[in-house]
Amino acid sequence: MAYNPTEFLDYFNIDDLLTDEHKLIRKSIRDFVKKEISPNIEKWAQDAYFPSDIVKKFGDVGAFGPTIPEQYGGGGLDYISYGLIMQEIERGDSGMRSTASVQGSLVMYPIYAYGSEEQRNKYLPKLASGEWLGCFGLTEPDFGSNPGGMLTNIKDMGDHYLLNGAKMWISNSPECQVAVVWAKNEQGRIKGVIVERGMEGFTTPEIHNKWSLRASCTGELVFNNVKVPKENLLPNVDGLRGPLGCLDSARFGIAWGAIGAAIDCYESALKYSLERIQFDKPIGAFQLTQKKLAEMLTEITKAQLMVWRLGVLKNEGKATTQQISMAKRNSVDMALHIAREARQIHGGMGITGEYPIMRHMMNLESVITYEGTHDIHLLITGADVTGIQAFK
């Protein structure tokens, strides 16, 4: 198996498990990333710049809501296709993948799964095409891992709801036209409401000075007596299972996406190790470098097999929250470790924007925390195997 610098080494012939359609979708997104993201991403990240025009381009290439039925503007694809799309976008950048996965899994999915037919027809086509960008309001300044403690609330005022509160660390918020927001009603039950840009009292201040996901826009959602029409309530869900169901979909995408970041780091490290000469030979000839590369490839392959199996289970409607949780934690932890090892192989060059390593590493420091921290995901597995919840 000779190294091919233009194609990731498929060590266990995992492509044999994919359909021709899967491979075609992967190639189309890979080509898109190489054309639209890779040539620009280092400058975007250095400048902390979110390229707003990428939203429409994502819509054009089918990256938004690929599993949503075609009648609502989605792709009508299976979950392995969705995973491959996320993998290829995150090979480009985790922030770019965050933009796409929030739109598909955290905005379009709840509107499709929990919304009315009127809501689906009103919002999904515009979100799918990239005409509108959406965001997901769950995390609050004082409630992250414990979303059930949220303070954001809605009150029934007869002909509308009155929404008050604030959300924090919200991807896409500064640029969003629509937000799916989770709030407690007077009875303390968590409900989902669709909030639109322009509603009086709704603001989206941007968060600055991030060292991570610098090409993704992140902000707050602030609600000061926002009047939300009754028809904007998501009618088909009640309680925490609403937002947690969305997170299952998003975590599934992250489990695939983080592998893309790991692949990009591995490929860069392998190529560099064959070109960098020290002591009269490539550093790839040294035992410790080969050890790093061999372990990287092993861990990537293991993660690929896990998410492929998870995709099969998801397609069959059998994937559990706990399985998705394990895959998300494993993939991101693996990718972060590979980024650090790849940085070592690149030596001093690894900290520069000449190579993608430090950008991936910094991005993954967010990915390992958002949508369930590394430790919380470990405790979800722990609770599943012991029957005892350690975080309550």
Side-chain angles (χ1 to χ4, degrees):
M1 295 183 179
Y3 171 63
N4 178 353
T6 64
E7 193 69 27
F8 172 69
L9 189 59
D10 180 12
Y11 211 74
F12 266 63
N13 300 330
I14 296 171
D15 271 12
D16 292 350
L17 303 172
L18 305 179
T19 66
D20 288 342
E21 183 183 29
H22 290 149
K23 295 172 193 173
L24 185 63
I25 290 165
R26 182 181 61 188
K27 184 180 186 306
S28 70
I29 300 297
R30 185 174 298 176
D31 290 345
F32 169 82
V33 170
K34 286 179 179 177
K35 178 185 176 185
E36 300 289 348
I37 295 175
S38 297
N40 307 303
I41 190 60
E42 299 300 340
K43 180 168 175 50
W44 293 343
Q46 291 277 0
D47 295 346
Y49 170 73
F50 175 69
S52 299
D53 62 338
I54 201 72
V55 177
K56 186 66 171 66
K57 292 176 181 178
F58 273 142
D60 292 341
V61 82
F64 290 149
T67 63
I68 299 293
E70 293 180 66
Q71 71 185 92
Y72 302 114
L77 302 174
D78 72 349
Y79 279 93
I80 290 177
S81 298
Y82 172 60
L84 290 167
I85 291 169
M86 295 301 107
Q87 174 186 286
E88 292 306 314
I89 295 175
E90 194 147 357
R91 280 179 78 169
D93 186 73
S94 301
M96 293 289 99
R97 196 268 309 143
S98 294
T99 301
S101 63
V102 165
Q103 183 93 329
S105 291
L106 298 181
V107 184
M108 295 177 69
Y109 171 80
I111 293 173
Y112 171 68
Y114 310 139
S116 66
E117 192 63 21
E118 291 75 19
Q119 290 168 344
R120 292 171 185 162
N121 289 319
K122 178 179 179 180
Y123 296 106
L124 292 179
K126 290 183 178 180
L127 290 164
S129 69
E131 180 183 345
W132 280 4
L133 184 66
C135 68
F136 175 84
L138 179 63
T139 297
E140 297 188 359
D142 295 319
F143 295 95
S145 296
N146 177 27
M150 70 174 65
L151 299 178
T152 300
N153 62 88
I154 53 171
K155 292 183 179 177
D156 191 335
M157 306 302 288
D159 62 344
H160 65 273
Y161 295 106
L162 205 60
L163 174 65
N164 281 284
K167 303 293 183 177
M168 188 78 167
W169 303 117
I170 309 301
S171 293
N172 299 354
S173 82
E175 301 268 342
C176 77
Q177 281 74 46
V178 61
V180 172
V181 178
W182 302 92
K184 285 183 178 175
N185 64 12
E186 292 96 325
Q187 291 74 44
R189 297 296 296 172
I190 293 173
K191 298 288 186 178
V193 291
I194 301 171
V195 183
E196 296 182 35
R197 173 80 63 188
M199 289 182 175
E200 189 176 352
F202 173 42
T203 55
T204 59
E206 186 169 0
I207 295 171
H208 297 285
N209 299 324
K210 298 181 300 176
W211 286 111
S212 182
L213 301 179
R214 288 172 59 82
S216 169
C217 62
T218 311
E220 304 172 56
L221 301 175
V222 180
F223 314 106
N224 182 15
N225 289 326
V226 180
K227 292 182 178 179
V228 180
K230 284 286 184 78
E231 60 266 25
N232 283 34
L233 183 83
L234 295 175
N236 300 320
V237 73
D238 182 66
L240 258 182
R241 75 176 185 88
L244 294 183
C246 303
L247 290 174
D248 271 355
S249 181
R251 289 165 177 169
F252 174 85
I254 294 170
W256 284 80
I259 295 172
I263 289 171
D264 198 46
C265 291
Y266 167 79
E267 287 189 316
S268 183
L270 179 54
K271 188 170 188 292
Y272 187 84
S273 77
L274 297 176
E275 296 172 348
R276 174 66 169 169
I277 306 298
Q278 289 292 284
F279 304 103
D280 302 320
K281 56 185 177 181
I283 61 173
F286 293 105
Q287 289 183 359
L288 289 178
T289 303
Q290 291 190 6
K291 175 182 183 291
K292 288 181 172 67
L293 293 168
E295 289 177 344
M296 288 181 192
L297 183 56
T298 302
E299 293 306 311
I300 288 171
T301 302
K302 286 157 62 176
Q304 285 179 310
L305 288 165
M306 177 183 276
V307 298
W308 172 81
R309 177 59 184 158
L310 185 64
V312 172
L313 291 172
K314 187 85 168 144
N315 285 339
E316 295 173 349
K318 296 177 181 176
T320 68
T321 293
Q322 292 79 5
Q323 288 169 334
I324 294 169
S325 178
M326 178 184 282
K328 188 269 185 183
R329 188 206 62 82
N330 179 73
S331 290
V332 184
D333 185 58
M334 174 274 298
L336 197 47
H337 180 72
I338 284 176
R340 288 171 177 150
E341 291 289 90
R343 214 291 302 157
Q344 292 274 18
I345 290 174
H346 284 78
M349 292 302 295
I351 69 165
T352 73
E354 296 294 313
Y355 298 92
I357 310 304
M358 281 298 290
R359 178 173 49 80
H360 281 307
M361 193 188 303
M362 291 191 298
N363 284 342
L364 289 164
E365 288 292 347
S366 287
V367 181
I368 204 167
T369 294
Y370 69 25
E371 296 183 34
T373 69
H374 177 79
D375 290 348
I376 286 291
H377 283 301
L378 281 172
L379 294 180
I380 289 171
T381 304
D384 199 37
V385 299
T386 65
I388 305 169
Q389 288 197 342
F391 45 82
K392 280 191 176 181

